[in-house]
Amino acid sequence: MNDAIRLASYAMDVTHTRGRRFPEAQHPYRNDYARDRDRVVHSRAFRRLEAKTQVFTTRFSDHFRNRLTHTLEVAQIGRTVAGALGLNGDLVEALALVHDIGHPPFGHAGERQLNLRMREHGDFFDHNLHALRIVESFEQRYLDFPGLNLTFEVREGIVKHSRDYSAAEFPELSEYLLEERPPLEAQLIDVVDEIAYNAADLDEGFEAGLVELNSLIDEAPVFARAYANVERSHPRSEKKLKFNGALKEILDHSVTDLIENTRAEIQRAGVDSVEDIRRNTKRLASFSEEAAAENAQLKKYLRAGLYENPAIVQDRERSVAALDELFLLYLEHPQKMPRGYTERARTEPVHRVVCDYIAGMTDHYLLRQREEQFRMRASE
Ligand code: MG
């Protein structure tokens, strides 16, 4: 295919894929990574991203981002970075679109609570590994195989895009070359994710009235500089547009830095092939030191000014409490779950089945279930 001609020597060429668990005939018009991308888009877990929130619940606004629109932003930025570096755009897109499908309801707070409950049973919850279970077995759509039967590199990217896992601790993941770095296509997802949510959270925090312009200017010099540039070029514009202008500048600057620094890292490391990328001791897709520090400023501001804002915390605590109540209820009464899960709970550890059921829920569905279950309980 023509695409292959434009790929850099260190890009993941789809014709070198380690393949699928269940071999399939080639498609006449779509390569394997393009097919993986399309399977993700057609999956149920992908559609559920629409009703999973990141920071703001729908109580704040109905036009804020949800996990689905966040995911589309990651895919769009990812494609730009892939194109600039000569990487495989189809693989990047597949990995970007799948990167959040393992998230339980209520974002990281929901994940922490599930993990806490699982630890009481000597188990754990991790969204990357949950995503792998989704694509390997929970999605049942195809006649000839369980799950989505994705290529090795997409499954590997699901596991390894944001962190390393040791084979000693996770022997069940040993097929994913845990001693090696993933291809650049997977490495860049985590950085792009961060670029996307920093800009998004500032944007929405400002719109919700929780991020205050002057405090942001005081605490994040990177924002102060961008805002001063906008003030110079558009002194009479509306405040909201100037804020957006500054955010756009930061986003563009971060993406450019990621592209240029990664290119420089590739040269410094002298890598020339995917095997070199894999064997390199560190990940090469990264910000420069300067951009990493600027990014840290924004994160620090967001943590104190937004994520720990009482309005957000209150909302989050209420949501997590609902998740927790449901977990304990199903643990004690597995028959209250839908039949498929009740049946699984006869042969598998109940906490694991309950965790899988809850992790798959959208925010709305969880709140509705909680209401229904406890109303029923009160009338029993
Ligand atoms: Mg994400």
Side-chain angles (χ1 to χ4, degrees):
M1 247 180 244
N2 286 342
D3 263 8
I5 298 167
R6 294 195 299 271
L7 288 185
S9 61
Y10 46 76
M12 185 61 225
D13 182 342
V14 68
T15 61
H16 299 154
T17 176
R18 284 173 162 80
R20 306 181 184 282
R21 274 199 204 292
F22 304 89
E24 294 179 48
Q26 285 296 311
H27 190 279
Y29 304 118
R30 292 177 300 155
N31 68 58
D32 281 340
Y33 297 148
R35 288 176 91 182
D36 283 2
R37 172 199 62 209
D38 298 350
R39 284 177 192 186
V40 169
V41 170
H42 286 274
S43 69
R44 196 163 64 172
F46 183 75
R47 290 194 296 278
R48 284 180 178 166
L49 292 172
E50 187 205 354
K52 294 199 182 199
T53 52
Q54 303 236 91
V55 179
F56 296 94
T57 56
T58 45
R59 202 162 65 81
F60 285 89
S61 164
D62 59 7
H63 61 255
F64 278 3
R65 290 164 182 82
N66 53 52
R67 252 178 219 286
L68 180 61
T69 59
H70 158 73
T71 291
L72 296 177
E73 292 181 357
V74 173
Q76 166 243 337
I77 299 170
R79 276 211 85 104
T80 300
V81 177
L85 293 173
L87 298 173
N88 192 317
D90 290 325
L91 178 56
V92 166
E93 203 173 11
L95 288 172
L97 293 174
V98 82
H99 90 280
D100 264 357
I101 66 162
H103 269 288
F106 312 125
H108 291 288
E111 176 170 24
R112 261 196 308 276
Q113 191 59 33
L114 272 185
N115 189 40
L116 217 68
R117 285 294 175 200
M118 292 297 275
R119 295 255 172 218
E120 291 173 359
H121 302 271
D123 211 330
F124 66 96
F125 178 81
D126 172 296
H127 73 269
N128 290 339
L129 304 193
H130 189 68
L132 191 62
R133 286 155 63 76
I134 290 173
V135 303
E136 287 269 74
S137 52
F138 298 160
E139 289 285 334
Q140 295 289 347
R141 319 179 39 85
Y142 298 98
L143 292 165
D144 297 326
F145 44 77
L148 304 180
N149 197 27
L150 303 176
T151 55
F152 175 87
E153 292 74 25
V154 173
R155 283 179 284 126
E156 180 198 20
I158 288 174
V159 177
K160 287 156 67 175
H161 74 269
S162 59
R163 55 166 285 200
D164 295 322
Y165 291 83
S166 78
E169 212 183 330
F170 298 92
E172 71 275 24
L173 297 177
S174 59
E175 68 175 296
Y176 295 111
L177 315 170
L178 296 180
E179 304 312 312
E180 299 182 357
R181 259 34 66 210
L184 281 171
E185 284 83 351
Q187 292 185 26
L188 65 85
I189 298 295
D190 200 42
V191 192
V192 170
D193 188 23
E194 199 172 308
I195 293 174
Y197 67 66
N198 276 345
D201 292 348
L202 287 172
D203 181 23
E204 289 171 355
F206 185 69
E207 202 167 321
L210 302 177
V211 163
E212 211 263 314
L213 180 62
N214 289 332
S215 72
L216 180 56
I217 287 176
D218 286 347
E219 288 171 42
V222 57
F223 187 87
R225 196 181 57 216
Y227 198 80
N229 288 341
V230 175
E231 279 279 29
R232 258 195 306 280
S233 60
H234 297 75
R236 275 185 274 279
S237 293
E238 213 183 302
K239 194 164 135 186
K240 169 73 184 158
L241 294 181
K242 286 196 268 193
F243 189 90
N244 276 341
L247 271 189
K248 180 173 171 286
E249 188 176 313
I250 289 175
L251 198 145
D252 193 53
H253 180 74
S254 310
V255 176
T256 303
D257 183 86
L258 170 62
I259 292 168
E260 291 176 358
N261 188 64
T262 303
R263 193 180 283 142
E265 289 282 353
I266 289 167
Q267 258 157 23
R268 268 197 289 274
V271 294
D272 199 33
S273 66
V274 178
E275 288 317 306
D276 290 348
I277 300 275
R278 286 187 171 287
R279 278 192 298 262
N280 203 60
T281 45
K282 65 169 192 166
R283 294 181 179 230
L284 297 176
S286 57
F287 286 133
S288 66
E289 248 172 64
E290 190 197 355
E294 290 173 349
N295 214 51
Q297 289 168 15
L298 295 177
K299 279 183 111 157
K300 189 170 165 217
Y301 177 86
L302 281 168
R303 207 172 307 125
L306 185 65
Y307 308 146
E308 294 310 323
N309 188 295
I312 298 280
V313 171
Q314 214 179 52
D315 221 32
R316 187 166 66 210
E317 282 175 355
R318 224 185 349 249
S319 306
V320 167
L323 179 149
D324 201 42
E325 285 168 32
L326 263 191
F327 190 99
L328 296 175
L329 177 79
Y330 291 136
L331 193 66
E332 203 181 328
H333 307 283
Q335 74 284 3
K336 289 186 186 283
M337 292 188 288
R339 211 179 62 192
Y341 291 96
T342 308
E343 273 165 19
R344 266 185 61 198
R346 288 200 193 103
T347 51
E348 290 175 51
V350 180
H351 66 270
R352 175 42 68 190
V353 181
V354 170
C355 181
D356 286 344
Y357 179 42
I358 289 184
M361 291 182 182
T362 62
D363 297 9
H364 308 314
Y365 183 80
L366 187 147
L367 294 174
R368 217 163 48 232
Q369 285 308 305
R370 188 203 161 270
E371 207 174 299
E372 276 173 26
Q373 294 292 352
F374 285 87
R375 197 178 326 119
M376 270 165 25
R377 219 178 189 197
S379 64
E380 265 169 29

